[in-house]
Amino acid sequence: DWREVLKWEGRLEELLEAGTDINCDFTLCAFFSAHQMGLRSTHGSDHAMPAIRLQERRVELLGRMERFRDQGEAICSIADILLALRKMEEATTTYTRARDIGAAHGFF
């Protein structure tokens, strides 16, 4: 249940400090997914900004890990949330950011 995962969010920093990059990626992904499920389940936007903040941290981590395809996909997931929030200009800018990363690393 996504709500069980979110009970641990208060200890996120502690979990991230204790882990390797791979573990941090998994942890950020788990919390992002929980917020995404919360967003879908409640049809409200209270999970949107926490999800975006988590995914932005993951985007930074994936860049450091040189996992550029995953980084582009993570950025697209941020844009998807922005689109759902009807923030069209921000979503467009964010999709462009993902495309630029893909183009810079030979994915387009």
Side-chain angles (χ1 to χ4, degrees), residues 43-87:
H43 303 290
S45 60
D46 15 330
H47 291 279
M49 293 317 293
I52 289 172
R53 281 191 298 275
L54 286 164
Q55 200 67 326
E56 283 291 355
R57 289 182 74 175
R58 187 167 177 253
V59 164
E60 182 182 322
L61 175 65
L62 292 169
R64 283 197 317 267
M65 295 170 69
E66 297 184 4
R67 289 177 44 195
F68 302 114
R69 183 178 299 273
D70 292 334
Q71 186 183 36
E73 289 176 4
I75 293 169
C76 284
S77 68
I78 293 169
D80 292 343
I81 294 171
L82 292 168
L83 198 58
L85 294 173
R86 300 188 191 325
K87 295 184 176 189

Side-chain angles (χ1 to χ4, degrees), residues 33-51:
S33 295
H35 276 292
Q36 228 179 6
M37 286 185 253
L39 188 59
R40 290 183 187 134
S41 297
T42 63
H43 303 290
S45 60
D46 15 330
H47 291 279
M49 293 317 293

Side-chain angles (χ1 to χ4, degrees), residues 83-97:
L83 198 58
L85 294 173
R86 300 188 191 325
K87 295 184 176 189
M88 303 307 175
E89 285 185 37
E90 283 183 67
T92 301
T93 301
T94 305
Y95 282 126
T96 300
R97 182 175 155 214

Side-chain angles (χ1 to χ4, degrees), residues 14-35:
E14 180 183 341
L15 294 168
L16 294 176
E17 287 175 17
T20 63
D21 282 350
I22 297 288
N23 292 340
C24 290
D25 178 37
F26 176 78
T27 302
L28 289 168
C29 195
F31 282 102
F32 170 74
S33 295
H35 276 292

